[in-house]
Amino acid sequence: MSEHSPEGIRNIALTGPAGGGKTTLAEALLAAAGAIGAAGSVDKGSTVSDAGPQEKALQHSIAASVMGLEWREAWINLIDTPGYVDFQGATLSILPAVETVAVVIDAESGVDATARRMMQWAGERGLCRLIIINRIDVAAARLEALLDDLRDTFGSECLPLDLPADGARQVVDCFFAPQGTADFSSVEAAHEQLVDQVVEVDEALMALYLEQGEALSPEQLHAPFEAALRDAHLVPVCFTSAATGAGIPELLEIFARLMPNPLESNPPPFLRQDDTGTHEYRARPDPEAHVLAHVVKVEHDPFLGKLAVFRMHQGSVSRDTRLLAGEARKPFRVGPLFRLQGREHLEVERLGPGEIGALAKVEEASLDTVLHDSHDEDHIHLRPVAVPAPVFGLAIRARRHGDEQKLTEALSRLVEEDPGLRVEQDAATRETVLRGQGELHLRMALERLGERYRVEVDTRPPSIAYRETIRAPAEGHCRHKKQSGGAGQFGEVFLSVEPLPRGAGFEFADSIRGGAIPSSLLPAVEKGVRQAMEEGAVAGYPLQDLRVVVQDGKTHPVDSKEIAFVIAGRKAFLDAVHKAGLQVLEPLVELEVEGPGTAMGDLTADLAASRGRIQDTRTLGDQVSIQALVPLAEVADYPMRLNALTGGSGRYTLRFSHYEPAPEAVQQALVQAHRAKRAEA
């Protein structure tokens, strides 16, 4: 058997905004449970979770960190997650490892956009939710108002399991032993609210409670309590101060006695594909079943190599177990197995259902890979977490010649570790673009390139992928003739061009009669045309949305070679497009921005100043969502503008929409810049 049975395991992610005290709270819990000697300090860089050099310098989490503790009969896996929006990919990708998402809210700052997003994402995944109001010692006077705010924001199902007492120097239990005096409200009233809410999911218990008026014990309430959590009918609220220790033992009791184990939670959303389609698949937390584990994080350790952090959902794994990664045909043999205590790796013999562990030197595994031990499970995967698309970008290249391959490998590892990063190869601009969730996110990635992989890079804003097109139909001609003493070159081409609808691309055809240009030479004409299209005709950007028709031409029995018709086709095309009139197209993106309703006027004014066209506006509680079409060139610095307009609480997504003609002033500036560049060459 594995060391911990599924009934005794609790998997809990500490999430929420940066500065809410998640890391300090984790330290307090570890220390209170005896997992560490004394709580470390974020300021001193001595905490279990924020143990990386970047995290110590920043004094904030930038990656999810797994740690464990024992309390009563329970083994509790705590996952400390980043609060900065820039690192939300690391937070979201770890959520499939847990049954419970604990949203930690700073008592002084209150509910913010990050807390709302985490509550929404956890609800969408069917995870049980818990709200922890931390730092109650610094905002004792506003705790009652904050509890009301939580209920207004997230619903009346948010009910306190304990309440602050003695000026927030301690908390008083409202569930197990509801006695004592709280700083506000009534312990007895809070207990009654909890019982009323819980028994609503159990008709038989409700009848006993209402008809006989009997007091219900915590043991009687346990099963319906879990059902209420699963159904989002109850979102418990707890009060703590990680700094003073208030509420810490009580929170451990709640984790151990009330939070769901892997048998009590909603089943993970596995999907199975077969010849009849895609079907839901329910994992069984049975240690004797086939292995089914899910990789939730990948690290590259300098000593252990590639480390795959995974959650066991079914079966058991021990050293030398043979596993398959996804749909791979060849199995690999499991080497050392680890539990994680922050950056410390503790070797274990076996891991069973519900446990979180790590495998070393597993090249076959990547984020979201399902590990299994039978080809019967080849086509099972977990419904992926939708990580927001990274839109903040930097064009990047190796500073030293010869480091290009080294850079490519380092970028691949960064993206493998961080699902919020993406690397794009832009064929139009010939740039390698590293994209992330924000300026801080990219800065941390660049630091890792230099410090961990010893790759120095140069960066600049990515080029805007403008395009060129024609305004009207036109005809072009070129007679290419060259004599060089020996065999000459001859090719003559007559062709026409005409515009196509926006987004149609390029079409090439011919209407030649009588074999004026042999069919064997038409590909050479097309090659010349495509060369000219790629180089651009007026501003140096590729042409698109046009049709070229070769109408006529002449050949020479000796001198008509492929190169002659490449050149003739290219020059005839340029002749035609200049007659047709050229214009520069700019890319437009669909921008969706969310922020506080109080910032709506500033947000719409900023979009209007950026040549944006508002498409839709919606109100979401005290938030506003705005959809607009905006030129890509106008949103390069949008993250900074949005932060300034919303006090850091706004978020946005970008998606390419289409091309349309740029304003004349923009077109003229691009044309002049291209001419100046050619003059310098």
Side-chain angles (χ1 to χ4, degrees):
M1 294 291 289
S2 61
E3 186 175 345
H4 303 114
S5 67
E7 292 86 352
I9 295 173
R10 310 289 183 269
N11 294 310
I12 300 167
L14 301 178
T15 69
K22 297 184 295 297
T23 300
T24 305
L25 178 61
E27 287 291 304
L29 292 166
L30 290 168
I36 57 176
S41 164
V42 171
D43 294 338
K44 296 178 180 178
S46 56
T47 58
V48 172
S49 57
D50 288 359
Q54 288 183 310
E55 291 174 315
K56 291 180 180 181
L58 189 64
Q59 295 188 354
H60 282 284
S61 303
I62 63 175
S65 183
V66 182
M67 59 209 106
L69 60 88
E70 284 187 288
W71 188 259
R72 289 187 176 270
E73 302 294 322
W75 174 262
I76 301 170
N77 286 311
L78 280 181
I79 304 181
D80 183 19
T81 68
Y84 271 124
V85 175
D86 288 46
F87 307 109
Q88 60 189 337
T91 298
L92 294 178
S93 63
I94 207 80
L95 293 188
V98 303
E99 283 76 40
T100 302
V101 172
V103 181
V104 181
I105 294 175
D106 179 18
E108 192 169 30
S109 303
V111 180
D112 76 343
T114 300
R116 283 190 289 267
R117 287 196 291 270
M118 290 314 308
M119 288 289 288
Q120 177 186 344
W121 281 326
E124 290 172 353
R125 294 290 294 192
L127 296 170
C128 301
R129 294 172 293 176
L130 171 73
I131 295 174
I132 301 172
I133 300 177
N134 191 32
R135 300 182 72 234
I136 60 174
D137 54 308
V138 300
R142 67 180 307 269
L143 296 178
E144 183 176 10
L146 178 54
L147 183 58
D148 291 339
D149 189 24
L150 286 175
R151 292 169 62 82
D152 290 341
T153 304
F154 301 123
S156 59
E157 61 268 22
C158 296
L159 295 174
L161 287 173
D162 53 43
L163 287 167
D166 191 22
R169 284 186 283 272
Q170 58 180 328
V171 302
V172 58
D173 171 40
C174 299
F175 185 78
F176 299 109
Q179 298 174 349
T181 302
D183 287 343
F184 60 85
S185 186
S186 157
V187 172
E188 291 76 14
H191 178 76
E192 187 175 341
Q193 279 187 307
L194 282 167
V195 174
D196 288 347
Q197 191 78 359
V198 166
V199 298
E200 285 181 0
V201 301
D202 188 320
E203 292 184 3
L205 197 63
M206 180 184 289
L208 179 67
Y209 179 60
L210 294 177
E211 294 174 11
Q212 300 182 20
E214 294 185 15
L216 300 174
S217 69
E219 290 71 27
Q220 288 176 294
L221 291 169
H222 183 84
F225 190 98
E226 304 304 326
L229 289 177
R230 287 194 300 272
D231 296 343
H233 190 65
L234 173 64
V235 178
V237 180
C238 309
F239 292 84
T240 65
S241 169
T244 67
I248 297 301
E250 290 83 357
L251 184 58
L252 286 169
E253 287 288 304
I254 288 166
F255 283 174
R257 298 176 65 183
L258 292 179
M259 292 302 100
N261 64 48
L263 300 172
E264 296 171 324
S265 62
N266 289 320
F270 279 101
L271 302 173
R272 185 174 202 154
Q273 293 175 314
D274 58 29
D275 294 339
T276 63
T278 301
H279 314 277
E280 290 187 5
Y281 179 87
R282 178 169 294 191
R284 293 182 294 117
D286 177 356
E288 303 305 321
H290 280 311
V291 171
L292 209 59
H294 176 239
V295 177
V296 293
K297 182 182 178 183
V298 171
E299 300 176 2
H300 288 275
D301 187 274
F303 304 105
L304 296 172
K306 186 175 179 180
L307 198 72
V309 180
F310 62 94
R311 158 70 191 268
M312 290 292 299
H313 289 281
Q314 182 176 290
S316 300
V317 171
S318 55
R319 192 181 183 113
D320 294 329
T321 299
R322 296 174 69 85
L323 293 179
L324 295 153
E327 298 180 17
R329 307 309 299 169
K330 183 179 179 182
F332 66 91
R333 190 180 297 276
V334 173
L337 275 175
F338 302 101
R339 292 193 199 281
L340 299 175
Q341 194 72 343
R343 293 177 71 88
E344 187 179 357
H345 306 96
L346 309 174
E347 192 165 349
V348 295
E349 291 297 319
R350 192 176 184 187
L351 292 171
E355 300 199 86
I356 299 173
L359 293 169
K361 299 178 181 178
V362 187
E363 295 303 321
E364 297 86 348
S366 57
L367 184 67
D368 262 349
T369 295
V370 170
L371 304 176
H372 54 100
D373 61 356
S374 167
H375 284 300
D376 291 342
E377 280 80 43
D378 278 353
H379 304 291
I380 292 178
H381 61 277
L382 206 67
R383 179 162 57 87
V385 175
V387 176
V391 294
F392 196 92
L394 283 174
I396 184 171
R397 67 177 182 180
R399 182 170 298 167
R400 288 191 299 267
H401 181 67
D403 274 0
E404 290 79 9
Q405 183 60 32
K406 191 176 178 182
L407 173 60
T408 298
E409 293 173 359
L411 289 174
S412 176
R413 289 190 170 191
L414 285 183
V415 171
E416 197 169 34
E417 291 183 337
D418 188 341
L421 289 173
R422 187 171 66 206
V423 175
E424 298 174 352
Q425 302 293 335
D426 194 319
T429 62
R430 298 181 177 87
E431 292 175 333
T432 298
V433 179
L434 177 64
R435 295 199 180 276
Q437 304 290 338
E439 185 274 334
L440 176 63
H441 193 200
L442 289 180
R443 178 157 57 86
M444 294 293 105
L446 293 177
E447 283 186 10
R448 290 200 295 279
L449 278 178
E451 295 173 3
R452 190 190 302 179
Y453 300 109
R454 300 291 186 264
V455 181
E456 295 183 5
V457 297
D458 292 320
T459 64
R460 60 182 175 81
S463 301
I464 303 297
Y466 292 102
R467 296 289 188 269
E468 298 177 19
T469 194
I470 58 175
R471 299 176 186 268
E475 295 182 348
H477 165 248
C478 175
R479 180 184 177 94
H480 174 69
K481 184 175 182 180
K482 181 179 179 182
Q483 292 295 139
S484 57
Q489 296 179 6
F490 179 86
E492 187 169 10
V493 174
F494 296 85
L495 54 74
S496 65
V497 296
E498 60 181 282
L500 292 177
R502 199 70 63 232
F506 169 64
E507 295 179 11
F508 182 85
D510 75 271
S511 59
I512 292 175
R513 299 290 181 267
I517 300 177
S519 59
S520 61
L521 289 173
L522 284 173
V525 178
E526 183 177 359
K527 182 178 180 180
V529 169
R530 288 186 178 275
Q531 284 179 356
M533 288 181 63
E534 186 65 30
E535 295 170 3
V538 66
Y541 299 103
L543 282 98
Q544 66 178 35
D545 301 338
L546 54 86
R547 175 187 290 115
V548 174
V549 180
V550 182
Q551 299 171 319
D552 201 356
K554 291 182 180 179
T555 61
H556 186 278
V558 177
D559 295 341
S560 288
K561 303 177 180 66
E562 180 179 334
I563 184 61
F565 277 89
V566 170
I567 295 171
R570 182 177 182 278
K571 291 183 177 179
F573 174 75
L574 290 173
D575 179 44
V577 296
H578 281 289
K579 293 175 183 175
L582 288 153
Q583 61 182 352
V584 179
L585 304 174
E586 65 178 355
L588 269 68
V589 293
E590 295 176 1
L591 170 68
E592 182 170 357
V593 57
E594 291 184 14
T598 53
M600 180 175 176
D602 292 335
L603 291 170
T604 54
D606 177 75
L607 290 171
S610 302
R611 298 192 285 126
R613 303 197 295 267
I614 306 295
Q615 305 290 301
D616 186 32
T617 302
R618 290 175 294 159
T619 300
L620 309 168
D622 60 351
Q623 297 283 292
V624 64
S625 172
I626 304 169
Q627 292 179 319
L629 282 175
V630 189
L632 180 60
E634 299 288 344
V635 296
D637 62 345
Y638 194 69
M640 290 170 282
R641 285 156 42 199
L642 180 62
N643 282 341
L645 294 170
T646 64
S649 64
R651 64 169 177 165
Y652 73 104
T653 57
L654 288 182
R655 184 174 60 184
F656 173 76
S657 177
H658 65 280
Y659 278 92
E660 65 179 43
E664 285 299 324
V666 173
Q667 295 196 42
Q668 289 303 315
L670 294 170
V671 170
Q672 293 300 325
H674 180 61
R675 289 175 180 170
K677 185 177 180 180
R678 293 185 63 181
E680 294 174 0

